[in-house]
Amino acid sequence: MEILFAAMEVLARWDVALALIAGSIGGVAIGAIPGVGPAVAIAILLPATFSMDPIVGLTVLLGIYGSSMYGGAIPAILINTPGTAVNALTTYDGYPMTLRGEARRALSLAYSSSFFGGVFSVVCLILLSPVLAKVAPMFGSREIFLAALLGVILVIVAHRGQMLIAAALTGFGIFLSTVGLEPVKYSRRFTFEQSWLASGVDLIVVVLGLFALSQAFVLLTMDDEKVHIAKSRGSLFQGFRELARHPRVAAVSAGFGVLMGMIPGVGEFTAQFMSYTSARKLSKTPQAFGRGSSEGLIASETANNAVPAAAMIPLLALGIPGEALTAMMLSVFYVHNVVPGPGLFQFQMDFVVALYLALLILNVLVVGFLLVSTGWLVYLTKIPNRFLGMCILLLSFVGVYSIRNSAVDCGVAAVFGLIGFVLKRLNLPIVPIVLGMVLGGIMEVKLRASMNRVKTPLDFIDRPIALLLFCVIVVVLGSTLWRVWREWTPVDRRSNAKKASVHFTKRIAGRKTRHFETRTKKQRRKRSYDHLGS
């Protein structure tokens, strides 16, 4: 109880309360604008949070992270354009409802489902806190290294169909983390006698370039489209009653969101598709999915809003981010010398509980704000793309320059902006670069620290958690290689091989039959000759 009261006292500060309100409302507005998204907004605001207290800065970023998906459902439902990337599945059933004149019902369902998923994941996070507080101290350097290695592998495996390019981009991110002074002997690596590379490639500069500047370039090259918003009828409160009629869909989808959020490198997309698929299989009317099904809308919105709180679990317990947004938040911890990991649960539990309560309050604030302001937020979808692009471009360069007052950082950010622009044009992933930079640094430091106690390779996995993580890595790699091999030898190729073997068998059998018939004819002829001879 003392920890709970201490956490509530932290949240009662006026600056924390203001940051929570600004982050939640700002996140909804950012999510409602197609083409921006939380990654761009967090990347732009990141330099400004370095001058704040850690709880204030993280509250702003968490507000944007958790509430942007609420706002992203508005354009997805009304104009068939997802406000954020993770709201893409919402268009499957949300927009058909709009075409039927049920836009308010769809919006209400999206809000209530998002609220249930967000609260469910926060409750799970609070219930898991005692377990994390006991398990986290068992993680030493070896365990954290293996967990980071597992995170790298899962990041690559999660990009199914693009695993080779994801592995290459992750390796590029790990390489970027090695540039500059190495952490033990402070010798220079890959600086090429350039003094500005001695301090390394700054993570925030890379993030701003890959996410904010690249998105600005994309918006500047797009044509402005006229947006027509259909009229709707109904009440924004009816979705809560309708959600209560589908408790199984909501609970299963929230469970998928929590589980996928806890696994580094997986995220909202996998949670959404798994929950959507399971909801369709369990539904009595699966044919309605994709045509305005309320169950489909509940499944997609519940799952993606259950991920943010769950994604904080590996970040807080092990210091390992599961995606790009939590990797950005990790930099706020490091700037203020707050080290996520086992020590955070032992010595700063009030800080952790304050973050949990902030996430809980965030969902209440967002739903209340949406129920009274949806009619005004709709007009944000009409902002021209090129105007948005210019605003993002200007704010991004101001943010980059404010980090170290360096024009070189602006040039580096511009280079990574072009790299991100090319990757987006080619539909290639950007997240592996950022996670490679973060996890690469963690892996190097923990590997060097653990090697002092390791004599043989088996000593590296001589503890239960290390052995468990090693087994998980082996299972993931083995199952992935098996799946790749099965995909590399598709069914039609295997069936062709089977047909070829059957054809070959028939040919052999045919030869044997003809040989038998020929031999039989010779024997008959010989018998006839013998008969004539006799």
Side-chain angles (χ1 to χ4, degrees):
M1 291 299 293
E2 293 180 2
I3 295 175
L4 180 61
F5 287 134
M8 294 175 65
E9 186 178 353
V10 171
L11 290 178
R13 288 167 40 186
W14 69 269
D15 52 350
V16 178
L18 183 61
L20 188 58
I21 294 172
S24 57
I25 295 176
V28 171
I30 288 165
I33 303 173
V36 180
V40 176
I42 290 176
I44 293 173
L45 290 174
L46 206 53
T49 59
F50 292 161
S51 59
M52 305 176 184
D53 288 342
I55 185 64
V56 178
L58 285 171
T59 300
V60 173
L61 300 183
L62 278 175
I64 294 173
Y65 181 26
S67 61
S68 60
M69 298 173 195
Y70 282 88
I74 296 175
I77 291 171
L78 296 180
I79 61 174
N80 202 25
T81 303
T84 67
V86 297
N87 293 109
L89 206 59
T90 307
T91 61
Y92 286 15
D93 295 287
Y95 188 65
M97 288 185 180
T98 300
L99 297 178
R100 295 201 304 255
E102 300 175 351
R104 286 185 179 272
R105 177 192 169 210
L107 289 172
S108 180
L109 264 178
Y111 298 160
S112 56
S113 304
S114 299
F115 178 76
F116 177 80
V119 172
F120 183 89
S121 61
V122 174
V123 171
C124 291
L125 192 58
I126 294 172
L127 294 177
L128 286 173
S129 295
V131 180
L132 293 173
K134 293 179 181 179
V135 174
M138 300 179 185
F139 277 76
S141 298
R142 282 172 276 182
E143 287 80 6
I144 294 178
F145 167 78
L146 289 171
L149 179 61
L150 177 61
V152 170
I153 294 171
L154 289 173
V155 168
I156 297 170
V157 171
H159 292 84
R160 190 169 181 176
Q162 294 181 318
M163 283 193 289
L164 285 178
I165 189 64
L169 293 173
T170 305
F172 178 59
I174 295 173
F175 165 74
L176 291 175
S177 69
T178 64
V179 176
L181 298 176
E182 55 96 6
V184 177
K185 297 182 180 179
Y186 297 103
S187 58
R188 296 192 176 195
R189 299 183 299 190
F190 307 111
T191 57
F192 306 104
E193 299 182 357
Q194 300 293 321
S195 58
W196 59 275
L197 282 174
S199 58
V201 181
D202 191 86
L203 175 65
I204 309 306
V205 174
V206 175
V207 167
L208 279 164
L210 288 176
F211 289 93
L213 289 178
S214 65
Q215 188 62 27
F217 295 152
V218 170
L219 291 171
L220 287 171
T221 56
M222 291 173 61
D223 295 329
D224 295 330
E225 298 180 0
K226 292 183 179 180
V227 177
H228 174 70
I229 300 172
K231 294 182 179 180
S232 59
R233 61 177 183 269
S235 171
L236 287 175
F237 293 91
Q238 69 184 81
F240 292 91
R241 296 190 297 270
E242 192 166 356
L243 178 67
R245 294 199 292 267
H246 302 285
R248 183 176 61 180
V249 176
V252 171
S253 302
F256 275 121
V258 171
L259 183 61
M260 295 298 107
M262 292 172 60
I263 301 174
V266 179
E268 295 93 347
F269 291 104
T270 306
Q272 269 190 319
F273 281 100
M274 290 182 70
S275 63
Y276 193 85
T277 303
S278 65
R280 184 166 53 188
K281 288 181 179 178
L282 298 174
S283 176
K284 296 179 180 179
T285 56
Q287 69 278 3
F289 279 67
R291 300 177 181 177
S293 169
S294 58
E295 292 177 283
L297 187 58
I298 291 171
S300 60
E301 283 296 304
T302 303
N304 64 25
N305 278 271
V307 171
M312 298 297 291
I313 294 176
L315 178 70
L316 296 174
L318 303 175
I320 297 174
E323 55 179 350
L325 299 178
T326 49
M328 298 180 201
M329 295 180 194
L330 185 63
S331 62
V332 180
F333 282 99
Y334 287 155
V335 165
H336 295 283
N337 293 322
V338 178
V339 181
L344 193 64
F345 285 86
Q346 287 181 302
F347 307 111
Q348 293 180 282
M349 194 62 186
D350 56 339
F351 180 82
V352 176
V353 176
L355 288 178
Y356 296 167
L357 293 178
L359 284 168
L360 192 61
I361 297 170
L362 161 73
N363 286 279
V364 178
L365 285 175
V366 170
V367 169
F369 173 71
L370 283 170
L371 290 176
V372 299
S373 63
T374 298
W376 302 325
L377 290 171
V378 165
Y379 293 101
L380 293 175
T381 61
K382 297 185 177 182
I383 298 177
N385 293 327
R386 293 177 181 174
F387 176 76
L388 275 177
M390 286 303 301
C391 291
I392 294 172
L393 196 68
L394 178 62
L395 292 172
S396 299
F397 278 120
V398 170
V400 171
Y401 187 79
S402 66
I403 297 174
R404 294 185 291 194
N405 296 329
S406 172
V408 174
D409 286 346
C410 295
V412 174
V415 171
F416 280 99
L418 292 174
I419 293 173
F421 176 72
V422 172
L423 291 176
K424 286 182 177 180
R425 284 297 188 186
L426 297 175
N427 292 322
L428 298 178
I430 294 175
V431 174
I433 299 177
V434 177
L435 292 181
M437 287 188 68
V438 176
L439 296 177
I442 295 173
M443 289 168 61
E444 180 183 7
V445 172
K446 297 303 178 183
L447 180 62
R448 288 193 169 192
S450 61
M451 290 307 292
N452 295 327
R453 304 179 183 88
V454 174
K455 304 298 181 183
T456 64
L458 292 178
D459 292 340
F460 209 86
I461 54 173
D462 62 351
R463 294 194 291 201
I465 296 180
L467 180 61
L468 177 63
L469 289 170
F470 177 76
C471 293
V472 172
I473 290 172
V474 171
V475 170
V476 171
L477 287 176
S479 61
T480 303
L481 291 175
W482 171 253
R483 189 184 69 205
V484 169
W485 182 83
R486 295 285 293 177
E487 292 176 352
W488 185 69
T489 56
V491 177
D492 54 349
R493 187 180 298 179
R494 292 197 297 270
S495 62
N496 288 338
K498 185 177 180 180
K499 289 178 181 177
S501 64
V502 171
H503 179 66
F504 178 76
T505 305
K506 287 182 178 178
R507 286 181 61 187
I508 296 298
R511 288 178 182 177
K512 289 181 178 179
T513 303
R514 288 194 298 271
H515 177 69
F516 176 77
E517 291 175 352
T518 305
R519 188 178 60 185
T520 306
K521 288 180 180 178
K522 288 182 179 179
Q523 289 175 349
R524 277 196 228 133
R525 195 178 298 121
K526 183 178 180 182
R527 281 198 295 270
S528 63
Y529 291 158
D530 292 341
H531 177 70
L532 291 174
S534 62

